[in-house]
Amino acid sequence: MLRVEDLHVSYGAISALNGISLSVPAGAIVTLIGGNGAGKTTTLHSLSGLIRAARGRVHFAGEDITALAPHHIVARGLCHVPEGRMIFANLSVAENLAMGAYLQRSPAQIAAARDYCFSIFPRLRERLRQNAGTLSGGEQQMLAIARALMSRPKFLMLDEPSLGIAPRLISTIFEKIVEINRDHGTGILLVEQNARLALEISTHAYVLETGHIVMSGPSRELRNNAQLKAAYLGS
């Protein structure tokens, strides 16, 4: 579904990604873990067209999307839920969801997508007329994911979905990610500092350090890797 080949990204003279390659099979959850400054967010920004790669290729569903603008990438079914949620704080929950459907033209499909969002996140139905900026951190993350789902994506990229959320809601958010993947076979590339949780729900993982992929493999194997456990799992 997603294939990245030899991706290089720089911010001026500073190199952020140094030839990373990764792939996500259709219907899989793959996680990208690493410390602060490793290049995780830069990876997602480059895949969604927000940052231009200096070198390398990005293929999605068999098409080279490396040079496409972000809205064309979304139109092809690849949607990005950014770090920090980036909801429209002064708009209502309903208006945020409508913004997520801006490329959709069928009222029936928009209604179906909204109903699906409410089935995944019932709390959003209760907050429909509430300004998004007044929601809790967990509710804002639910809204950010639901807004992406309104585009009816084939593939989701989630950047730090547990960031700034009360601990009691983190497991709920991860359960919902698994549910979204299971319901429609939506592929997911998950960037997450909570490596333990990310490895529990994913099938495959890549470890990124200073712009390089330094380790990869099935998540169940990496959970038991002594080096990874010492660096990221607290044991």
Side-chain angles (χ1 to χ4, degrees), residues 23-162:
S23 62
V24 183
I29 300 177
V30 171
T31 188
L32 182 62
I33 60 179
N36 288 331
K40 304 185 303 297
T41 292
T42 296
T43 299
L44 297 197
H45 282 179
S46 62
L47 300 185
S48 60
L50 296 172
I51 298 174
R52 289 292 168 214
R55 196 163 84 240
R57 314 307 301 174
V58 179
H59 296 268
F60 177 68
E63 180 183 1
D64 188 336
I65 64 168
T66 312
L68 292 185
H71 63 285
H72 289 307
I73 292 174
V74 173
R76 281 156 175 77
L78 192 158
C79 200
H80 180 183
V81 181
E83 180 183 5
R85 300 178 280 276
M86 300 299 177
I87 58 167
F88 301 103
N90 294 327
L91 300 183
S92 69
V93 168
E95 289 166 333
N96 270 269
L97 294 176
M99 290 295 289
Y102 81 104
L103 287 176
Q104 303 300 312
R105 295 293 176 261
S106 166
Q109 289 182 346
I110 292 172
R114 198 162 95 146
D115 286 344
Y116 177 66
C117 289
F118 294 152
S119 74
I120 293 287
F121 301 117
R123 197 171 302 185
L124 295 181
R125 189 192 294 273
E126 302 168 7
R127 306 283 194 268
L128 204 54
R129 303 302 169 193
Q130 188 171 328
N131 268 19
T134 66
L135 300 176
S136 72
E139 291 167 344
Q140 289 185 14
Q141 186 63 64
M142 293 174 191
L143 178 57
I145 295 172
R147 181 180 60 185
L149 291 174
M150 290 298 296
S151 71
R152 303 178 73 241
K154 301 172 186 173
F155 193 95
L156 280 176
M157 298 191 300
L158 303 171
D159 195 351
E160 303 286 4
S162 73

